[in-house]
mmCIF file of all heavy atoms in Angstrom:
data_model
loop_
_atom_site.group_PDB
_atom_site.id
_atom_site.type_symbol
_atom_site.label_atom_id
_atom_site.label_comp_id
_atom_site.label_asym_id
_atom_site.label_seq_id
_atom_site.Cartn_x
_atom_site.Cartn_y
_atom_site.Cartn_z
ATOM 1 N N VAL A 330 -11.407 63.061 34.585
ATOM 2 C CA VAL A 330 -12.055 62.283 33.521
ATOM 3 C C VAL A 330 -11.024 61.374 32.848
ATOM 4 O O VAL A 330 -11.290 60.189 32.607
ATOM 5 C CB VAL A 330 -12.741 63.216 32.495
ATOM 6 C CG1 VAL A 330 -13.169 62.447 31.250
ATOM 7 C CG2 VAL A 330 -13.939 63.910 33.136
ATOM 8 N N LEU A 331 -9.853 61.907 32.560
ATOM 9 C CA LEU A 331 -8.793 61.075 31.969
ATOM 10 C C LEU A 331 -8.437 59.902 32.875
ATOM 11 O O LEU A 331 -8.245 58.782 32.404
ATOM 12 C CB LEU A 331 -7.542 61.924 31.716
ATOM 13 C CG LEU A 331 -7.444 62.577 30.352
ATOM 14 C CD1 LEU A 331 -6.349 63.636 30.360
ATOM 15 C CD2 LEU A 331 -7.192 61.562 29.255
ATOM 16 N N ASP A 332 -8.366 60.164 34.182
ATOM 17 C CA ASP A 332 -8.081 59.080 35.130
ATOM 18 C C ASP A 332 -9.150 57.999 35.048
ATOM 19 O O ASP A 332 -8.841 56.808 35.074
ATOM 20 C CB ASP A 332 -8.028 59.619 36.572
ATOM 21 C CG ASP A 332 -6.797 60.481 36.812
ATOM 22 O OD1 ASP A 332 -5.848 60.412 35.994
ATOM 23 O OD2 ASP A 332 -6.790 61.231 37.796
ATOM 24 N N GLN A 333 -10.407 58.413 34.967
ATOM 25 C CA GLN A 333 -11.511 57.457 34.875
ATOM 26 C C GLN A 333 -11.394 56.604 33.608
ATOM 27 O O GLN A 333 -11.571 55.390 33.650
ATOM 28 C CB GLN A 333 -12.858 58.192 34.839
ATOM 29 C CG GLN A 333 -13.206 58.907 36.112
ATOM 30 C CD GLN A 333 -13.508 57.940 37.232
ATOM 31 O OE1 GLN A 333 -14.080 56.881 37.014
ATOM 32 N NE2 GLN A 333 -13.095 58.297 38.427
ATOM 33 N N ILE A 334 -11.102 57.262 32.485
ATOM 34 C CA ILE A 334 -10.983 56.547 31.209
ATOM 35 C C ILE A 334 -9.875 55.503 31.299
ATOM 36 O O ILE A 334 -10.055 54.352 30.924
ATOM 37 C CB ILE A 334 -10.664 57.529 30.068
ATOM 38 C CG1 ILE A 334 -11.843 58.453 29.815
ATOM 39 C CG2 ILE A 334 -10.314 56.789 28.789
ATOM 40 C CD1 ILE A 334 -11.476 59.620 28.937
ATOM 41 N N LYS A 335 -8.728 55.938 31.829
ATOM 42 C CA LYS A 335 -7.586 55.025 31.920
ATOM 43 C C LYS A 335 -7.890 53.848 32.834
ATOM 44 O O LYS A 335 -7.364 52.751 32.645
ATOM 45 C CB LYS A 335 -6.344 55.781 32.411
ATOM 46 C CG LYS A 335 -5.805 56.729 31.350
ATOM 47 C CD LYS A 335 -4.662 57.588 31.876
ATOM 48 C CE LYS A 335 -4.143 58.503 30.771
ATOM 49 N NZ LYS A 335 -3.165 59.458 31.239
ATOM 50 N N ALA A 336 -8.743 54.073 33.832
ATOM 51 C CA ALA A 336 -9.071 53.011 34.783
ATOM 52 C C ALA A 336 -10.139 52.059 34.242
ATOM 53 O O ALA A 336 -10.141 50.886 34.563
ATOM 54 C CB ALA A 336 -9.552 53.626 36.097
ATOM 55 N N THR A 337 -11.060 52.573 33.414
ATOM 56 C CA THR A 337 -12.214 51.740 33.042
ATOM 57 C C THR A 337 -12.128 51.116 31.655
ATOM 58 O O THR A 337 -12.786 50.119 31.401
ATOM 59 C CB THR A 337 -13.529 52.552 33.107
ATOM 60 O OG1 THR A 337 -13.422 53.690 32.243
ATOM 61 C CG2 THR A 337 -13.829 53.006 34.529
ATOM 62 N N LEU A 338 -11.344 51.697 30.739
ATOM 63 C CA LEU A 338 -11.388 51.189 29.363
ATOM 64 C C LEU A 338 -10.554 49.942 29.055
ATOM 65 O O LEU A 338 -10.926 49.179 28.171
ATOM 66 C CB LEU A 338 -11.040 52.296 28.360
ATOM 67 C CG LEU A 338 -12.175 53.296 28.104
ATOM 68 C CD1 LEU A 338 -11.773 54.276 27.017
ATOM 69 C CD2 LEU A 338 -13.480 52.619 27.733
ATOM 70 N N PRO A 339 -9.422 49.698 29.721
ATOM 71 C CA PRO A 339 -8.671 48.493 29.359
ATOM 72 C C PRO A 339 -9.539 47.235 29.481
ATOM 73 O O PRO A 339 -10.380 47.134 30.373
ATOM 74 C CB PRO A 339 -7.519 48.464 30.383
ATOM 75 C CG PRO A 339 -7.348 49.886 30.779
ATOM 76 C CD PRO A 339 -8.729 50.485 30.754
ATOM 77 N N ARG A 340 -9.343 46.306 28.554
ATOM 78 C CA ARG A 340 -10.142 45.082 28.516
ATOM 79 C C ARG A 340 -10.125 44.386 29.880
ATOM 80 O O ARG A 340 -9.078 44.180 30.467
ATOM 81 C CB ARG A 340 -9.577 44.137 27.450
ATOM 82 C CG ARG A 340 -10.406 42.883 27.255
ATOM 83 C CD ARG A 340 -9.666 41.852 26.429
ATOM 84 N NE ARG A 340 -9.228 42.357 25.131
ATOM 85 C CZ ARG A 340 -9.996 42.331 24.029
ATOM 86 N NH1 ARG A 340 -11.205 41.851 24.084
ATOM 87 N NH2 ARG A 340 -9.513 42.778 22.894
ATOM 88 N N GLY A 341 -11.305 44.072 30.383
ATOM 89 C CA GLY A 341 -11.396 43.353 31.647
ATOM 90 C C GLY A 341 -11.287 44.229 32.884
ATOM 91 O O GLY A 341 -11.434 43.747 33.998
ATOM 92 N N ALA A 342 -11.035 45.525 32.706
ATOM 93 C CA ALA A 342 -10.843 46.396 33.865
ATOM 94 C C ALA A 342 -12.168 46.762 34.535
ATOM 95 O O ALA A 342 -12.209 47.061 35.720
ATOM 96 C CB ALA A 342 -10.108 47.673 33.457
ATOM 97 N N SER A 343 -13.250 46.762 33.767
ATOM 98 C CA SER A 343 -14.547 47.171 34.308
ATOM 99 C C SER A 343 -15.654 46.693 33.375
ATOM 100 O O SER A 343 -15.386 46.117 32.325
ATOM 101 C CB SER A 343 -14.615 48.702 34.417
ATOM 102 O OG SER A 343 -14.764 49.265 33.127
ATOM 103 N N SER A 344 -16.890 46.989 33.764
ATOM 104 C CA SER A 344 -18.035 46.607 32.930
ATOM 105 C C SER A 344 -18.291 47.625 31.813
ATOM 106 O O SER A 344 -19.166 47.447 30.981
ATOM 107 C CB SER A 344 -19.289 46.508 33.813
ATOM 108 O OG SER A 344 -19.518 47.755 34.466
ATOM 109 N N VAL A 345 -17.500 48.711 31.805
ATOM 110 C CA VAL A 345 -17.731 49.786 30.829
ATOM 111 C C VAL A 345 -17.312 49.357 29.423
ATOM 112 O O VAL A 345 -16.189 48.930 29.200
ATOM 113 C CB VAL A 345 -16.965 51.071 31.243
ATOM 114 C CG1 VAL A 345 -17.114 52.155 30.185
ATOM 115 C CG2 VAL A 345 -17.452 51.566 32.596
ATOM 116 N N LYS A 346 -18.271 49.470 28.487
ATOM 117 C CA LYS A 346 -17.998 49.103 27.098
ATOM 118 C C LYS A 346 -17.687 50.326 26.240
ATOM 119 O O LYS A 346 -16.891 50.255 25.320
ATOM 120 C CB LYS A 346 -19.187 48.351 26.509
ATOM 121 C CG LYS A 346 -19.361 46.962 27.115
ATOM 122 C CD LYS A 346 -20.570 46.254 26.487
ATOM 123 C CE LYS A 346 -20.710 44.825 26.962
ATOM 124 N NZ LYS A 346 -20.813 44.696 28.423
ATOM 125 N N THR A 347 -18.352 51.436 26.524
ATOM 126 C CA THR A 347 -18.078 52.653 25.756
ATOM 127 C C THR A 347 -18.042 53.870 26.679
ATOM 128 O O THR A 347 -18.734 53.912 27.688
ATOM 129 C CB THR A 347 -19.163 52.935 24.678
ATOM 130 O OG1 THR A 347 -20.399 53.211 25.330
ATOM 131 C CG2 THR A 347 -19.317 51.777 23.720
ATOM 132 N N SER A 348 -17.217 54.839 26.291
ATOM 133 C CA SER A 348 -17.155 56.106 27.004
ATOM 134 C C SER A 348 -17.231 57.241 25.997
ATOM 135 O O SER A 348 -16.581 57.187 24.957
ATOM 136 C CB SER A 348 -15.842 56.225 27.786
ATOM 137 O OG SER A 348 -15.815 55.301 28.854
ATOM 138 N N SER A 349 -18.024 58.235 26.325
ATOM 139 C CA SER A 349 -18.097 59.445 25.508
ATOM 140 C C SER A 349 -17.599 60.605 26.350
ATOM 141 O O SER A 349 -18.103 60.827 27.455
ATOM 142 C CB SER A 349 -19.543 59.737 25.100
ATOM 143 O OG SER A 349 -20.081 58.645 24.393
ATOM 144 N N VAL A 350 -16.603 61.317 25.838
ATOM 145 C CA VAL A 350 -16.079 62.486 26.541
ATOM 146 C C VAL A 350 -16.481 63.723 25.756
ATOM 147 O O VAL A 350 -16.191 63.824 24.562
ATOM 148 C CB VAL A 350 -14.538 62.424 26.651
ATOM 149 C CG1 VAL A 350 -14.001 63.710 27.290
ATOM 150 C CG2 VAL A 350 -14.106 61.210 27.455
ATOM 151 N N VAL A 351 -17.150 64.642 26.425
ATOM 152 C CA VAL A 351 -17.508 65.913 25.818
ATOM 153 C C VAL A 351 -16.812 66.983 26.654
ATOM 154 O O VAL A 351 -17.146 67.189 27.820
ATOM 155 C CB VAL A 351 -19.040 66.121 25.816
ATOM 156 C CG1 VAL A 351 -19.394 67.414 25.085
ATOM 157 C CG2 VAL A 351 -19.737 64.924 25.172
ATOM 158 N N TRP A 352 -15.803 67.599 26.052
ATOM 159 C CA TRP A 352 -14.992 68.589 26.762
ATOM 160 C C TRP A 352 -15.316 69.960 26.212
ATOM 161 O O TRP A 352 -15.071 70.240 25.036
ATOM 162 C CB TRP A 352 -13.518 68.253 26.592
ATOM 163 C CG TRP A 352 -12.581 69.012 27.473
ATOM 164 C CD1 TRP A 352 -12.878 69.693 28.617
ATOM 165 C CD2 TRP A 352 -11.165 69.151 27.292
ATOM 166 N NE1 TRP A 352 -11.731 70.241 29.150
ATOM 167 C CE2 TRP A 352 -10.673 69.919 28.369
ATOM 168 C CE3 TRP A 352 -10.265 68.689 26.330
ATOM 169 C CZ2 TRP A 352 -9.327 70.247 28.500
ATOM 170 C CZ3 TRP A 352 -8.932 69.012 26.466
ATOM 171 C CH2 TRP A 352 -8.465 69.784 27.544
ATOM 172 N N LEU A 353 -15.885 70.816 27.053
ATOM 173 C CA LEU A 353 -16.344 72.129 26.629
ATOM 174 C C LEU A 353 -15.489 73.221 27.267
ATOM 175 O O LEU A 353 -15.320 73.233 28.487
ATOM 176 C CB LEU A 353 -17.802 72.325 27.053
ATOM 177 C CG LEU A 353 -18.761 71.249 26.522
ATOM 178 C CD1 LEU A 353 -19.521 70.604 27.652
ATOM 179 C CD2 LEU A 353 -19.700 71.835 25.504
ATOM 180 N N ASN A 354 -14.968 74.105 26.438
ATOM 181 C CA ASN A 354 -14.174 75.226 26.947
ATOM 182 C C ASN A 354 -14.501 76.478 26.154
ATOM 183 O O ASN A 354 -14.807 76.399 24.969
ATOM 184 C CB ASN A 354 -12.672 74.929 26.810
ATOM 185 C CG ASN A 354 -12.225 73.843 27.775
ATOM 186 O OD1 ASN A 354 -12.446 73.931 28.964
ATOM 187 N ND2 ASN A 354 -11.606 72.800 27.244
ATOM 188 N N ASP A 355 -14.391 77.625 26.812
ATOM 189 C CA ASP A 355 -14.651 78.879 26.096
ATOM 190 C C ASP A 355 -13.353 79.499 25.579
ATOM 191 O O ASP A 355 -13.370 80.562 24.995
ATOM 192 C CB ASP A 355 -15.420 79.868 26.977
ATOM 193 C CG ASP A 355 -14.658 80.222 28.254
ATOM 194 O OD1 ASP A 355 -13.544 79.689 28.447
ATOM 195 O OD2 ASP A 355 -15.185 81.022 29.048
ATOM 196 N N ASP A 356 -12.233 78.811 25.825
ATOM 197 C CA ASP A 356 -10.940 79.330 25.395
ATOM 198 C C ASP A 356 -10.172 78.199 24.714
ATOM 199 O O ASP A 356 -9.918 77.161 25.323
ATOM 200 C CB ASP A 356 -10.183 79.846 26.631
ATOM 201 C CG ASP A 356 -8.770 80.314 26.307
ATOM 202 O OD1 ASP A 356 -8.392 80.334 25.114
ATOM 203 O OD2 ASP A 356 -8.046 80.657 27.256
ATOM 204 N N ARG A 357 -9.815 78.408 23.464
ATOM 205 C CA ARG A 357 -9.152 77.362 22.669
ATOM 206 C C ARG A 357 -7.880 76.827 23.350
ATOM 207 O O ARG A 357 -7.586 75.637 23.293
ATOM 208 C CB ARG A 357 -8.822 77.942 21.292
ATOM 209 C CG ARG A 357 -8.312 76.944 20.289
ATOM 210 C CD ARG A 357 -8.125 77.573 18.922
ATOM 211 N NE ARG A 357 -9.358 78.116 18.360
ATOM 212 C CZ ARG A 357 -10.274 77.387 17.747
ATOM 213 N NH1 ARG A 357 -10.125 76.089 17.637
ATOM 214 N NH2 ARG A 357 -11.358 77.941 17.241
ATOM 215 N N ASP A 358 -7.130 77.696 24.015
ATOM 216 C CA ASP A 358 -5.866 77.277 24.636
ATOM 217 C C ASP A 358 -6.060 76.229 25.724
ATOM 218 O O ASP A 358 -5.169 75.435 25.996
ATOM 219 C CB ASP A 358 -5.141 78.481 25.253
ATOM 220 C CG ASP A 358 -4.620 79.425 24.174
ATOM 221 O OD1 ASP A 358 -4.580 79.021 22.990
ATOM 222 O OD2 ASP A 358 -4.262 80.568 24.513
ATOM 223 N N THR A 359 -7.217 76.252 26.364
ATOM 224 C CA THR A 359 -7.476 75.299 27.445
ATOM 225 C C THR A 359 -7.389 73.859 26.933
ATOM 226 O O THR A 359 -6.992 72.958 27.663
ATOM 227 C CB THR A 359 -8.853 75.562 28.081
ATOM 228 O OG1 THR A 359 -8.922 76.941 28.444
ATOM 229 C CG2 THR A 359 -9.063 74.728 29.333
ATOM 230 N N PHE A 360 -7.736 73.646 25.665
ATOM 231 C CA PHE A 360 -7.688 72.290 25.107
ATOM 232 C C PHE A 360 -6.265 71.730 25.083
ATOM 233 O O PHE A 360 -6.082 70.518 25.098
ATOM 234 C CB PHE A 360 -8.283 72.259 23.695
ATOM 235 C CG PHE A 360 -9.779 72.446 23.679
ATOM 236 C CD1 PHE A 360 -10.336 73.577 23.107
ATOM 237 C CD2 PHE A 360 -10.625 71.502 24.240
ATOM 238 C CE1 PHE A 360 -11.714 73.764 23.088
ATOM 239 C CE2 PHE A 360 -12.000 71.685 24.240
ATOM 240 C CZ PHE A 360 -12.554 72.818 23.656
ATOM 241 N N ASP A 361 -5.261 72.617 25.080
ATOM 242 C CA ASP A 361 -3.870 72.144 25.061
ATOM 243 C C ASP A 361 -3.521 71.337 26.310
ATOM 244 O O ASP A 361 -2.600 70.536 26.290
ATOM 245 C CB ASP A 361 -2.895 73.324 24.952
ATOM 246 C CG ASP A 361 -3.056 74.063 23.623
ATOM 247 O OD1 ASP A 361 -3.638 73.479 22.686
ATOM 248 O OD2 ASP A 361 -2.614 75.227 23.547
ATOM 249 N N LEU A 362 -4.252 71.568 27.400
ATOM 250 C CA LEU A 362 -3.952 70.912 28.675
ATOM 251 C C LEU A 362 -3.925 69.391 28.581
ATOM 252 O O LEU A 362 -3.108 68.746 29.214
ATOM 253 C CB LEU A 362 -4.988 71.296 29.735
ATOM 254 C CG LEU A 362 -4.961 72.728 30.234
ATOM 255 C CD1 LEU A 362 -6.139 72.982 31.162
ATOM 256 C CD2 LEU A 362 -3.651 73.009 30.962
ATOM 257 N N ALA A 363 -4.868 68.825 27.809
ATOM 258 C CA ALA A 363 -4.962 67.363 27.831
ATOM 259 C C ALA A 363 -5.227 66.757 26.461
ATOM 260 O O ALA A 363 -5.532 65.580 26.352
ATOM 261 C CB ALA A 363 -6.061 66.931 28.798
ATOM 262 N N MET A 364 -5.090 67.564 25.418
ATOM 263 C CA MET A 364 -5.400 67.069 24.076
ATOM 264 C C MET A 364 -4.556 65.848 23.716
ATOM 265 O O MET A 364 -5.067 64.864 23.195
ATOM 266 C CB MET A 364 -5.195 68.195 23.061
ATOM 267 C CG MET A 364 -5.862 67.927 21.749
ATOM 268 S SD MET A 364 -7.616 67.558 21.943
ATOM 269 C CE MET A 364 -8.295 69.157 21.638
#
Side-chain angles (χ1 to χ4, degrees):
V330 169
L331 269 166
D332 290 344
Q333 293 291 324
I334 293 167
K335 289 174 179 173
T337 58
L338 283 185
R340 185 192 304 273
S343 74
S344 58
V345 176
K346 290 180 175 57
T347 65
S348 292
S349 302
V350 175
V351 184
W352 191 18
L353 303 125
N354 290 306
D355 60 0
D356 176 5
R357 188 175 300 279
D358 291 346
T359 308
F360 289 114
D361 295 342
L362 291 174
M364 197 54 96

